[in-house]
Amino acid sequence: MKKNFIRFCGLIISVVLILGCSEPTGPKQGVHYQKLSNPLSSPSLAPITEVFALTCTHCRTMETFLPELEQLTGQRFGKLHVTFNQGAQLGAIIYYSAVMQLDDIPDHDMMDDLFAAVQMPEGTTPAERKAAIDHAFHSRHIISPYDFNEMQQQQLMTMLASAEQMSTQSQINAVPTFIVNGKYLLLTSGHSDLANMAETLTYLLKQP
């Protein structure tokens, strides 16, 4: 009887040791996400915020998948346009010119028009690019950034300054990606598909 009890205790200890040494399941830091070295805090930052640039071709592709990601996570994503180089800064001017007039994120159709205008092929003339940008705004009955008055320019500069501060503070130099709760950065390369990304985003939303 005593021997059986000892064997039973040994079995329990073995199981505990095996479980304790097994690999943890779920998203892994350094593979699926990382912590921001400088957490962001801003009323304009949504729980899940896409970080992007109108000049980025991968961001344009990601735009088509955002509705599905929002559905999978049950969240409406925010957007932060980076300003880490001259091209991104010009794209930010165009993007935030729309945001300040709509008082919201442009819908997917307008985002597609903005991406198309900024990413026109090599050889496009400045006049053709201006016409495409003007059309993206005028077709929605809002003012093109080319036509802003002084007050509108000042309002735009305030929005750009805020975006630049967050862009610099986050130290993000590659897009597209996502910031969660202002603390975590999704590593898109560590995910196999949208469902996998949504799993990590949902997991990070629950982290302190």
Side-chain angles (χ1 to χ4, degrees):
M1 189 71 161
K2 186 176 180 181
K3 288 182 179 179
N4 289 338
F5 178 74
I6 292 173
R7 287 176 184 171
F8 177 74
C9 289
L11 178 62
I12 294 297
I13 291 172
S14 298
V15 170
V16 170
L17 289 173
I18 290 171
L19 291 175
C21 295
S22 62
E23 288 292 319
T25 58
K28 299 177 183 177
Q29 186 173 342
V31 177
H32 302 102
Y33 71 93
Q34 65 185 35
K35 287 186 176 182
L36 289 176
S37 54
N38 297 309
L40 303 178
S41 178
S42 170
S44 63
L45 204 65
I48 299 179
T49 297
E50 183 202 15
V51 187
F52 80 106
L54 287 176
T55 52
C56 167
T57 55
H58 294 298
C59 296
R60 188 176 183 180
T61 301
M62 180 63 75
E63 181 68 26
T64 64
F65 298 129
L66 290 182
E68 185 175 350
L69 269 177
E70 289 180 326
Q71 185 176 16
L72 287 169
T73 59
Q75 295 285 322
R76 184 171 186 259
F77 295 175
K79 283 183 180 291
L80 171 64
H81 196 298
V82 291
T83 57
F84 50 53
N85 58 36
Q86 186 177 17
Q89 290 167 3
L90 293 173
I93 288 173
I94 295 167
Y95 171 71
Y96 287 110
S97 294
V99 172
M100 62 176 271
Q101 295 183 79
L102 298 171
D103 198 26
D104 198 0
I105 295 172
D107 63 25
H108 293 294
D109 287 339
M110 184 172 189
M111 287 301 302
D112 190 53
D113 283 351
L114 295 180
F115 274 116
V118 172
Q119 296 184 24
M120 294 180 78
E122 187 177 351
T124 299
T125 66
E128 290 171 331
R129 195 178 304 279
K130 178 182 181 300
I133 293 170
D134 284 344
H135 174 74
F137 284 80
H138 295 163
S139 62
R140 292 164 176 88
H141 308 291
I142 56 177
I143 302 168
S144 167
Y146 289 101
D147 302 322
F148 275 6
N149 59 33
E150 186 175 348
M151 183 178 296
Q152 290 165 328
Q153 291 173 7
Q154 290 176 351
Q155 183 181 353
L156 176 60
M157 290 303 106
T158 299
M159 294 192 75
L160 286 172
S162 176
E164 184 170 7
Q165 181 181 6
M166 287 192 286
S167 179
T168 302
Q169 184 178 345
S170 66
Q171 299 180 342
I172 294 172
N173 54 21
V175 290
T177 187
F178 299 87
I179 293 173
V180 183
N181 288 339
K183 299 178 181 178
Y184 303 99
L185 183 70
L186 185 83
L187 300 177
T188 54
S189 60
H191 298 82
S192 57
D193 53 32
L194 291 182
N196 194 210
M197 289 176 61
E199 179 184 354
T200 299
L201 291 171
T202 301
Y203 168 82
L204 292 175
L205 281 171
K206 300 174 183 176
Q207 302 310 301

